[in-house]
Amino acid sequence: MPFLSAALDRVKPSATIAVTDKARELKAAGRNVIGLGSGEPDFDTPANIKLAAIHAIEAGKTKYTAVDGIPELKAAIIAKFQRENGLTYTPNQIIVGTGGKQVLYNALMATINPGDEVIIPAPYWVSYPEMVALAGGEPVPVVCTAEFGFKLQPAALEAAITPKTKWIILCSPSNPTGAAYSRAELKALTDVLVKHPQVWVMTDDMYEHLVYDDFVFTTPAQIEPQLFDRTLTVNGVSKAYCMTGWRIGYAGGPAQLIKAMATIQSQSTSNPSSISQWAAVEALNGPQDFIPVHNKAFKERRDLVVSMLNQAKGIDCPRPEGAFYVYPSCAGTIGKTAPSGKVIANDEDFVTELLETEGVAVVQGSAFGLGPAFRISYATKNSDLEEACKRIQRFCGNLR
Ligand SMILES: Cc1ncc(COP(=O)(O)O)c(C=O)c1O
């Protein structure tokens, strides 16, 4: 009898974590490596948030809490949804988890039955299809090409929906492409969804605050109130508040779904860290003025990276609306030969050869469901970005 669960046959380890680990290994071995693989802001957690955590420790707020979050954090989340998204929730419609990742996982575990289909626009965040498969469902990727800004088109959505469709997972601004849906683009999708009452909407708004050039963020339940009763709006403090290590994510949704998610959480991890929850209260209720400051830096970095990558031979890099990723095509390099003699047959070869010869770590597009391309996270200092882009230019220039 096999020792490991058959569920493991349905999932693969995260490609983004694998690249980060490989880059760390090469660095430890003394190589000069620039890691553009990992998806977290390089900025430190703001001081007022850290202080709130210190105060929580000193005040002894270090015990178990309610599984689905302390009332103070739920209140801060309710106020956030009202203030920023025009969404009205009650405390029994809110859950707090250990990162946005756990919240998404809870929702899929709580709702997926064998054979249930989940529509996932590709390129997608690596964890969506894996979580769906682990829950016993069928991920249904729908490829969204650069021609349409990597965005799902209404006709493609309509074509992907079947009687077995349980969820669609939307992510805007997107990891991995940075693409974000305008109000009109999102409305065109919610118009389709209104006609299919069996389909629930899981919207991953983790990058809500990271938008540039006056882009206005909107979320499906805000645009289409008819979808409110079948939408789970997922968000978190990891990206906007530079709190990736604190592990706090949350969601608003129908009470019955939230209760089911809390049941899953109660039998797996219980409450998220009490100290992190108090820090998140301060993040959501406290000053928000550092966000535009960070965004100015991110926008400059995006512009730098897009411009330098478009000067690399065989690379074509669209300029996305948000997040801190770009998703250039490397189609123009496929079939070429590197100085090592290695033929670049696909994007995995491209990123492996780039890491080995130039010490730049990026993630292959095929891991996100659309290649040949690669993802760069530009949440790192300008001098490293500039040097990395120079190395990519040199790498591409040396392909024959
Ligand atoms: C699109 C997307 N959703 C969810 C998450 C998970 O966020 P957290 O770190 O809060 O679990 C990430 C993190 O990389 C992400 O990129």
Side-chain angles (χ1 to χ4, degrees), residues 172-185:
S172 164
S174 150
N175 176 2
T177 63
Y181 291 86
S182 69
R183 190 180 189 92
E185 288 165 338

Side-chain angles (χ1 to χ4, degrees), residues 12-40:
K12 357 183 233 305
S14 160
T16 46
I17 292 176
V19 167
T20 311
D21 288 351
K22 177 94 205 268
R24 196 176 294 128
E25 235 172 67
L26 287 174
K27 255 186 208 167
R31 286 280 308 274
N32 175 341
V33 173
I34 304 176
L36 306 179
S38 122
E40 63 179 346

Side-chain angles (χ1 to χ4, degrees), residues 188-344:
L189 297 180
T190 59
D191 284 350
V192 174
L193 292 165
V194 163
K195 294 186 284 174
H196 298 277
Q198 82 279 21
V199 183
W200 282 56
V201 183
M202 196 176 295
T203 178
D204 180 345
D205 297 351
M206 203 57 84
Y207 294 91
E208 165 177 10
H209 289 294
L210 301 166
V211 290
Y212 317 116
D213 308 319
D214 302 324
F215 181 90
V216 179
F217 172 87
T218 42
T219 190
Q222 175 185 25
I223 286 188
E224 182 45 82
Q226 289 184 71
L227 292 177
F228 184 79
D229 288 338
R230 51 182 165 109
T231 297
L232 184 72
T233 303
V234 181
N235 211 315
V237 294
S238 297
K239 313 287 173 168
Y241 299 94
C242 312
M243 293 176 70
T244 45
W246 297 75
R247 311 307 303 128
I248 295 291
Y250 57 84
Q256 196 194 3
L257 169 62
I258 295 292
K259 189 167 171 228
M261 291 165 63
T263 301
I264 301 278
Q265 189 164 302
S266 76
Q267 296 296 17
S268 49
T269 58
S270 294
N271 62 276
S273 151
S274 59
I275 299 152
S276 296
Q277 289 190 68
W278 283 103
V281 171
E282 174 61 18
L284 295 178
N285 288 346
Q288 307 286 305
D289 47 353
F290 60 88
I291 293 178
V293 177
H294 289 177
N295 281 4
K296 186 168 173 289
F298 281 137
K299 177 186 145 50
E300 281 169 16
R301 291 170 180 182
R302 177 201 63 176
D303 292 343
L304 170 81
V305 169
V306 169
S307 143
M308 287 189 76
L309 287 175
N310 279 323
Q311 290 166 45
K313 226 168 134 189
I315 302 296
D316 182 15
C317 185
R319 182 185 307 266
E321 293 90 349
F324 37 65
Y325 307 105
V326 292
Y327 200 75
S329 161
C330 56
T333 67
I334 303 301
K336 297 201 169 161
T337 306
S340 66
K342 168 99 188 154
V343 176
I344 308 292

Side-chain angles (χ1 to χ4, degrees), residues 69-85:
I70 55 175
E72 291 82 353
L73 181 52
K74 285 194 172 198
I77 292 165
I78 288 169
K80 174 262 178 281
F81 275 134
Q82 191 72 64
R83 178 177 74 235
E84 296 181 342
N85 311 114

